[in-house]
Amino acid sequence: MPIYEYQCDECGLRDEKLWPKISTAKDTIECSSCGAQMRKIISPANFSFPHTPVGGARPQNTGVHAIDYSFDKVIGEDSARKWKDIESRNAVKDATIREERKAGRLVKREHLVPKLDGSGEYRVITEPERKHANEGRTTAFEIAKAAKGSGDKKDG
Ligand SMILES: [Zn+2]
């Protein structure tokens, strides 16, 4: 029987619910704490190991996968909050990506930068910005290299 994990949008409560079949599992359920909607946050592929992470400790992944939700039960509430942040940021990014793709632009998450207006929204990095960012990296590297070089031959 599949077990799905849910998280409340309002109060952050996490809960698990057992469903008789995958097809009966709802995407949202009512939060037992505040009555708001809880969203399903674990994929049905993971129903066979709902309570404990398999295979011992694993390195944290930068992506959010269902296994991480099992994992962060072990590493605690801070992590749960962090993953929730990542998840919500990724949701915003993915919405932006969908909009861009509708407009015919093939955009990936790494092309998105946060807007500076505090809205929490993302926009696509521009070509000059990307070029500048790459130049920035090159420059920092070359500065470091030059500094090291000049230190080596100070007496020259
Ligand atoms: Zn709640």
Side-chain angles (χ1 to χ4, degrees):
M1 288 202 285
I3 294 176
Y4 286 87
E5 193 166 5
Y6 292 82
Q7 184 160 31
C8 178
D9 284 339
E10 290 301 314
C11 71
L13 179 79
R14 281 177 182 228
D15 205 357
E16 289 177 339
K17 190 164 170 57
L18 190 68
W19 299 92
K21 291 179 188 166
I22 288 176
S23 59
T24 61
K26 292 180 180 170
D27 287 337
T28 59
I29 59 173
E30 192 178 295
C31 175
S32 58
S33 168
C34 73
Q37 290 287 292
M38 299 181 90
R39 282 181 301 123
K40 193 164 74 180
I41 58 171
I42 192 162
S43 75
N46 293 285
F47 67 79
S48 59
F49 42 92
H51 289 292
T52 50
V54 291
R58 289 170 181 230
Q60 266 192 41
N61 199 314
T62 51
V64 175
H65 299 290
I67 186 67
D68 296 318
Y69 288 108
S70 302
F71 197 75
D72 70 28
K73 282 185 182 171
V74 179
I75 49 186
E77 276 300 306
D78 271 1
S79 172
R81 271 193 294 277
K82 191 176 79 183
W83 283 112
K84 197 184 180 207
D85 286 351
I86 290 170
E87 189 193 37
S88 59
R89 280 200 299 274
N90 281 340
V92 174
K93 286 184 184 178
D94 287 347
T96 308
I97 289 167
R98 278 195 297 277
E99 288 304 309
E100 290 295 321
R101 288 187 178 181
K102 257 187 244 169
R105 291 184 288 272
L106 191 67
V107 166
K108 295 177 179 174
R109 279 183 184 168
E110 57 263 35
H111 300 148
L112 297 175
V113 292
K115 288 183 181 174
L116 295 177
D117 57 5
S119 63
E121 292 173 354
Y122 288 81
R123 64 177 177 78
V124 181
I125 193 169
T126 63
E127 199 50 50
E129 283 171 333
R130 204 185 308 184
K131 199 157 167 274
H132 185 73
N134 286 337
E135 279 168 2
R137 275 195 286 279
T138 305
T139 305
F141 176 73
E142 280 170 357
I143 288 168
K145 207 167 71 171
K148 189 171 180 291
S150 68
D152 287 345
K153 45 188 167 188
K154 255 274 165 0
D155 49 359

